[in-house]
Amino acid sequence: MPTTDAPPPPPASTPTVFEAIVKQQCIAATYNRGEVTLAPHVIYTKHGEIHVDAVTIERDGKPPKEAKLGTFKLAGLGPVRMTPRRFERSAQFDPAEPRYEGNLLMAVEG
């Protein structure tokens, strides 16, 4: 039986993240056994897997010490759910960063 190097199928949560980016609404998920609320700014591929760069709004119900844009492997986020909470684009996000070139699937506008 021939083997293929086809990439794995995208996680089931991919459409939810696309919707959250378009609507600029936060998502909630489980990450490293904790609950996080994220403001997703961009979804892209890296090494054949889908990643999300997002600002962590809350971790286990508490805001982080400092707001920063972090990278999350989408497959590592537990059930992803839309929240009603909206967000503004972070000044830390630069869609022209080289890591997104040729790999960008969607990013916040503005």
Side-chain angles (χ1 to χ4, degrees), residues 5-106:
D5 289 332
S13 56
T14 304
T16 304
V17 176
F18 280 123
E19 183 180 355
I21 290 171
V22 169
K23 293 180 175 179
Q24 287 188 252
Q25 282 184 243
C26 293
I27 56 174
T30 303
Y31 184 71
N32 288 341
R33 294 185 297 241
E35 280 296 311
V36 292
T37 300
L38 305 172
H41 280 57
V42 61
I43 185 168
Y44 61 103
T45 58
K46 181 168 114 179
H47 306 298
E49 297 197 305
I50 298 176
H51 289 73
V52 177
D53 283 3
V55 175
T56 301
I57 304 297
E58 289 183 351
R59 184 177 302 271
D60 292 325
K62 297 178 183 143
K65 291 179 177 133
E66 67 177 276
K68 64 179 183 173
L69 195 66
T71 300
F72 299 85
K73 191 171 165 183
L74 190 56
L77 292 171
V80 175
R81 303 156 319 276
M82 289 278 290
T83 73
R85 186 174 185 164
R86 305 209 19 107
F87 67 89
E88 296 293 322
R89 178 177 156 170
S90 170
Q92 297 176 7
F93 174 61
D94 179 4
E97 275 192 42
R99 66 178 155 173
Y100 304 136
E101 190 174 329
N103 300 310
L104 186 80
L105 300 175
M106 181 177 284

